[in-house]
Amino acid sequence: MTAIASRAIHIAQHGGPEQLQLVRVTVGEPGAGEVRIRHHAVGLNFIDVYQRSGLYPQQLPVQLGMEAAGVVEAVGEGVTHLKVGDRAAYASNPPGAYCEVRVLPAKCVCKLPDAISFETGAAMMLKGLTAQYLLKRTLPQGGLNPGDFVLFHAAAGGVGLIASQWAKALGLRLIGTAGSDAKCALALVNGAEFAINYAAENFAKRVKEITGGKGVKVVYDSVGKDTWEQSLDCLAPFGLMASFGNASGPVAPFAPGILGAKGSIYVTRQTLFTHIATREATQAMADDLFAVVQSGAVKIHIAQRYTLENVQQAHRDLEARQTTGCTILTL
């Protein structure tokens, strides 16, 4: 059995960015259904912050990171869709992407098309697959059709910029929100038809003005606590509130009766890993993502790069909302 040395980022306890520690680990051979991959770039996501802080508790110590791209070095028994030397990218549980080399389940690892760089692959898998399941699989009653209004919070973030472009390609009228005028301008350049600075104005009131009082068919919300109440007021009757994150903190408990009072609306809490639970679903979603990126309809914006050693600063900047688009760790 070959043991390979790798730099990696571990946390020994939950807490702030200072818990992220660079360590040396040894990586063995993949078992049945697994692959070993040598990373060229690693993606940074808000779920990493949740896992580090303890909002999403982990069994400690844990190696963080949910997405990366690189080259397959070894393939375990039963893996048929990948071979040694393949360019590959993934978004996958369990965490562990903050490293040079790792072994992980093969079912969520996809061959990366030659036309897509390792950096782009690392930046787009978790966020791009999230945008895919939201716009294609997390749908209001009657679905979404060209011309329909949707509200997307954090529209200048990694998921938001991808979703804004993809929504435009689908003919949807996306209203984006962001926390500054500069971020709103970025959302508009990337496909949002309207952008609202929710730090400066009441976004629910503005949404009603934009939609002629009708509201939107769906709200996609990764912000959580700070946007929840007003988001419900943005929905048309029978509209869908699709929560998929807690950047401002978790939503407080609420009485189901308010859903009836606000127009018989629906609420759902989605997570990517339910959608990519099978090899077939992962590949189908990835194929859709790869196609829209290769077509040029969706461009992946890597706005920040940090070395693996500088991951603490990367987390600080992400939590302080100092980042836009996608962020990667370089090796």
Side-chain angles (χ1 to χ4, degrees):
M1 181 176 182
T2 304
I4 296 172
S6 172
R7 292 178 302 150
I9 301 294
H10 280 201
I11 60 167
Q13 63 185 49
H14 294 300
E18 70 281 356
Q19 298 299 331
L20 298 162
Q21 298 298 318
L22 182 68
V23 298
R24 298 276 178 173
V25 298
T26 56
V27 182
E29 296 296 317
E34 295 181 330
V35 295
R36 188 175 72 230
I37 185 167
R38 181 171 293 274
H39 294 150
H40 284 238
V42 176
L44 186 77
N45 295 282
F46 229 99
I47 191 173
D48 307 345
V49 172
Y50 300 155
Q51 292 175 345
R52 188 210 72 221
S53 69
L55 181 63
Y56 295 174
Q58 304 295 301
Q59 186 172 346
L60 300 172
V62 67
Q63 185 170 304
L64 294 182
M66 306 298 289
E67 71 176 341
V71 175
V72 176
E73 283 194 338
V75 175
E77 181 183 353
V79 177
T80 58
H81 69 287
L82 295 166
K83 64 182 186 302
V84 173
D86 279 348
R87 302 171 77 253
Y90 66 86
S92 179
N93 258 329
Y98 285 8
C99 64
E100 293 172 304
V101 184
R102 73 175 294 200
V103 169
L104 76 160
K107 70 176 184 178
C108 289
V109 181
C110 300
K111 285 183 68 173
L112 185 65
D114 290 342
I116 299 177
S117 72
F118 288 119
E119 287 198 349
T120 298
M124 74 183 221
M125 290 300 287
L126 191 144
K127 291 172 279 287
L129 292 174
T130 298
Q132 199 279 347
Y133 85 69
L134 291 172
L135 294 174
K136 298 291 191 74
R137 296 165 176 250
T138 309
L139 301 174
Q141 188 180 69
L144 287 173
N145 301 298
D148 285 342
F149 281 105
V150 302
L151 177 63
F152 206 102
H153 290 303
V159 177
L161 290 184
I162 294 171
S164 294
Q165 295 173 78
W166 208 333
K168 184 176 182 179
L170 294 171
L172 302 175
R173 304 185 70 182
L174 187 139
I175 305 168
T177 72
S180 71
D181 290 343
K183 288 186 175 183
C184 285
L186 185 60
L188 290 170
V189 170
N190 283 277
E193 185 173 343
F194 302 91
I196 304 167
N197 180 349
Y198 54 60
E201 62 179 318
N202 181 310
F203 69 81
K205 180 181 178 182
R206 183 79 182 101
V207 165
K208 284 298 180 72
E209 291 172 356
I210 291 169
T211 61
K214 295 179 179 179
V216 299
K217 291 185 75 171
V218 60
V219 176
Y220 295 114
D221 186 7
S222 64
V223 176
K225 175 175 63 70
D226 290 354
T227 50
W228 181 261
E229 291 287 343
Q230 286 190 57
S231 291
L232 299 181
D233 293 332
C234 292
L235 287 165
F238 308 110
L240 174 65
M241 176 65 184
S243 171
F244 68 102
N246 315 279
S248 66
V251 174
F254 63 92
I258 69 170
L259 304 179
K262 291 182 181 295
S264 301
I265 58 177
Y266 297 81
V267 171
T268 183
R269 178 57 166 92
Q270 297 284 307
T271 176
L272 171 64
F273 299 105
T274 311
H275 288 274
I276 60 173
T278 68
R279 165 82 204 123
E280 294 75 18
T282 303
Q283 192 63 58
M285 291 170 64
D287 287 345
D288 195 18
L289 173 61
F290 293 153
V292 77
V293 169
Q294 288 180 279
S295 75
V298 170
K299 294 178 173 61
I300 306 300
H301 297 277
I302 302 173
Q304 297 82 211
R305 290 172 172 82
Y306 302 83
T307 63
L308 188 66
E309 292 84 353
N310 203 25
V311 67
Q312 290 186 7
Q313 188 61 48
H315 271 235
R316 290 188 191 99
D317 291 347
L318 186 64
E319 287 185 279
R321 303 194 189 182
Q322 298 299 308
T323 65
T324 58
C326 299
T327 303
I328 61 168
L329 302 176
T330 58
L331 301 165

